[in-house]
Each structure stands twice: as structure tokens, then as C-alpha cells.
Amino acid sequence: MVPAGFIFALSVFCGAQTVAPAYRGPGNVVTIIAVVWSLAELLKMSARNRWRPLPSWPKPKWGVTEVTLISVAVLVGGVIGPHLLASHSNSALASWGLGAAVTVIVAACLFAATASYRRRASRAWQR
């Protein structure tokens, strides 16, 4: 499964994309930090996989719940946040608040999808 650090890094990246274009100075710094953090997490995953390609990991069979939660995370983090919530009319506090809200929503959806998959997989092992 995907490590928690990678989910956090992805969530922070989505939240940073929600910051209004008028406040991009600090938002760009947060975006750069999130990208570097994501790359570091990918390197850690590759090292744990003994530097073999990551597609050599087992392919999970996602259920309806996991697919729905991941779809909501993609919708909020990739469409609603940067395209609908980020506007020049937002104040700095509102802009960063919306970015934090998107971060929390994306992280919650991805962690819930991971927990649902693990719960379903553990039940399959018990049989």
C-alpha cells in the first residue's frame, strides 16, 4: 500500500494548488516543498522495493468504496480546489483556509480508501 507520507505530500500539494493566484509567493514555496516531499517518498518506496520498478508491486483489486473515495479525492484536489475555489477575490486568510480544507479532505479520502482496502484484505486472509 501507499505510505502515509506520500498521501500527506499529495494532499499538501493539492491544497497548495488551491491558494489563490494573488497569494502565489508563499504558495509556490509550499508547492515546491510538496513536490520534493513526494519525490522523496517515491524514492523511499523504490528503495523498499529493492530498486525494482514500482509496477512490480501486487495490483490491488479495488472495491466500490475505495474507487469512490479516490474519485472524490481526485475531484476535490484536482478540479474543485484549483479551478473553482482559487480566485483573485479571496482574502489571504480565506485562500489559505480553503487550501487547508482541500488538504484535509484529500488526505481523509485517501486514508479512508486505504483503511477500507486493508480491512477488506484482512477479511480475505482470515478465510
Side-chain angles (χ1 to χ4, degrees), residues 29-95:
V29 172
V30 173
T31 301
I32 292 169
I33 290 170
V35 168
V36 169
W37 186 10
S38 298
L39 291 175
E41 290 294 332
L42 284 172
L43 284 173
K44 282 182 9 183
M45 287 188 328
S46 292
R48 285 186 193 137
N49 201 32
R50 295 188 184 105
W51 301 105
R52 292 180 308 202
L54 291 178
S56 68
W57 279 7
K59 310 235 181 334
K61 291 180 175 41
W62 298 105
V64 174
T65 306
E66 292 92 13
V67 170
T68 303
L69 288 167
I70 291 169
S71 298
V72 168
V74 168
L75 183 69
V76 170
V79 178
I80 293 174
H83 297 293
L84 298 177
L85 297 178
S87 71
H88 290 284
S89 63
N90 292 342
S91 68
L93 182 62
S95 181

